[in-house]
């Protein structure tokens, strides 16, 4: 049987980074999509993550099937919690095929949101004006986003937001519906001004591998103005692989590169940065979970 190192190499994946100085969490990832697109099973992804000190992950759903997978993975794996939702682009596509199908999908998200304390968030939901260009689809996205906000509030869950070219629309909907107690701006894509607007509502800003790219000056400016206790780190695997592995597929184990980049940019010790990021993830998702917190029951 091949070793994990050989397995990663056989799939064309980057090698394991050096282990981090303290455990952290990947605050947003898609192990089902990693398995589908890359070939690395969820168990292998979790093993690789653990090898480098990524002790916890948030498995995020983007449709009904993915949300069910997230709920099951979190229910059966200590160290994993789930987020459930219909992605804004999927919401627009579903409604175009059948408004009833979208309503049924949102009802299933509501059911999964109440499945137990292993489900910590409603997400990823939000607005995507990059891939959804027609006005009807954008209207549907706003309505679906509002419905997800209501679900998060009803269940007392965190809201994890997808924002692609939809900054003002997202803030408009949140202001109209009322911000939930805990909001995460997943894969933060704005600059310092947007960061300040989100921070006014005590949102957490989650930085993916994009922040390591040479082209990401706005995201680095946002990182610089964000209070340390409001910073999260994520992979969004299998997408957005951080430097120095950009151009290859991503996995939760590679969040180590982004965490080290954040520590360097903030000018703080790696161990202190890891502890900060891990504590922030616990706070953002409503409390600690799994073995990383002493093996306490979820």
């Amino acid at each position: 049987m091949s070793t994990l190192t050989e397995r990663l190499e056989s799939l064309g994946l980057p090698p394991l980074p050096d282990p981090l100085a303290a455990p952290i969490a990947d605050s947003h990832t898609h192990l089902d999509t990693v398995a589908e697109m890359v070939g690395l099973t969820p168990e292998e992804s979790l093993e690789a993550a653990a090898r480098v000190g990524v002790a916890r992950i948030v498995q995020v759903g983007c449709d009904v099937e993915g949300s069910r997978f997230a709920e099951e993975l979190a229910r059966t794996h200590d160290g994993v919690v789930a987020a459930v939702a219909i992605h804004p682009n999927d919401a627009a596509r579903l409604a175009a095929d059948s408004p009833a199908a979208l309503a049924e999908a949102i009802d299933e998200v509501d059911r999964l949101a109440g499945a137990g304390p292993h489900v910590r968030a409603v997400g990823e939901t939000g607005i995507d004006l990059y891939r959804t260009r027609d006005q009807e689809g954008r209207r549907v996205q706003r309505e679906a986003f509002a419905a997800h906000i209501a679900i998060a509030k009803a269940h007392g869950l965190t809201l994890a937001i997808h924002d692609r070219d939809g900054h003002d629309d997202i803030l408009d909907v949140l202001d109209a519906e009322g911000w939930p107690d805990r909001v995460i701006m997943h894969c933060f894509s704005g600059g310092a001004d947007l960061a300040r607007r989100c921070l006014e509502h005590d949102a957490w800003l989650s930085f993916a591998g994009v922040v390591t790219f040479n082209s990401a000056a706005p995201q680095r400016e946002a990182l610089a103005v964000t209070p340390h206790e409001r910073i999260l780190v994520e992979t969004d695997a299998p997408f957005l692989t951080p430097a120095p592995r950009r151009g290859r597929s991503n996995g939760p184990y590679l969040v180590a590169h982004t965490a080290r980049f954040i520590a360097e940019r903030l000018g703080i010790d790696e161990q202190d940065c890891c502890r900060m990021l891990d504590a922030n993830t616990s706070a953002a998702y409503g409390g600690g979970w799994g073995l990383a917190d002493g093996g306490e029951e979820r």
Side-chain angles (χ1 to χ4, degrees), residues 41-253:
T41 69
E43 298 293 343
E44 289 170 329
S45 285
L46 291 171
E47 179 186 355
R51 291 274 192 96
V52 302
V54 182
R56 304 186 293 167
I57 72 157
V58 181
Q59 170 64 27
V60 179
C62 291
D63 54 23
V64 167
E65 182 181 0
S67 294
R68 288 172 176 162
F69 172 84
E71 185 276 327
E72 180 181 9
L73 189 74
R75 177 165 33 88
T76 56
H77 290 74
D78 198 25
V80 180
V81 296
V84 297
I86 308 302
H87 190 284
N89 291 324
D90 287 273
R93 284 192 291 266
L94 268 177
D97 294 336
S98 167
L102 176 58
E104 290 172 5
I106 292 175
D107 284 346
E108 179 65 0
V109 168
D110 190 18
R111 185 190 73 80
L112 291 167
H118 56 290
V119 179
R120 296 296 184 94
V122 174
E124 58 188 276
T125 180
I127 292 174
D128 188 318
L129 302 184
Y130 178 80
R131 294 199 181 278
T132 297
R133 303 294 180 94
D134 63 288
Q135 292 303 312
E136 176 60 16
R138 291 178 173 185
R139 182 193 65 78
V140 167
Q141 284 192 359
R142 292 176 69 97
E143 291 186 354
F145 184 30
H148 282 81
I149 293 170
I151 293 170
K153 288 180 176 180
H155 293 278
L157 299 182
T158 301
L159 185 73
I161 294 177
H162 171 98
D163 170 15
R164 190 164 188 188
D165 294 350
H167 307 331
D168 290 337
D169 295 77
I170 281 173
L171 296 181
D172 285 348
V173 174
L174 283 167
D175 288 343
E177 301 298 322
W179 291 62
D181 290 338
R182 296 186 304 276
V183 173
I184 295 170
M185 303 300 292
H186 142 65
C187 190
F188 187 76
S189 59
D193 288 343
L194 179 64
R196 293 186 183 98
R197 293 170 71 188
C198 295
L199 291 166
E200 287 176 359
H201 297 275
D202 293 327
W204 283 270
L205 309 188
S206 186
F207 293 90
V210 172
V211 76
T212 71
F213 299 172
N214 290 335
S215 60
Q219 286 76 33
R220 288 193 286 275
E221 291 168 1
L223 176 65
V225 303
T226 303
H228 288 187
E229 66 271 17
R230 292 288 155 179
I231 297 171
L232 304 181
V233 66
E234 65 170 274
T235 56
D236 198 25
F239 313 107
L240 306 178
T241 309
R245 304 301 180 186
R246 186 180 183 186
R248 302 171 74 178
S249 294
N250 204 1
Y253 69 100

Side-chain angles (χ1 to χ4, degrees), residues 237-278:
F239 313 107
L240 306 178
T241 309
R245 304 301 180 186
R246 186 180 183 186
R248 302 171 74 178
S249 294
N250 204 1
Y253 69 100
L254 295 172
V255 78
H257 291 300
T258 311
R260 288 189 167 113
F261 179 88
I262 289 173
E264 181 179 353
R265 293 294 300 190
L266 297 181
I268 59 179
D269 177 78
E270 180 181 312
Q271 185 177 74
D272 291 341
C273 184
C274 289
R275 289 173 173 166
M276 173 193 81
L277 293 169
D278 199 54

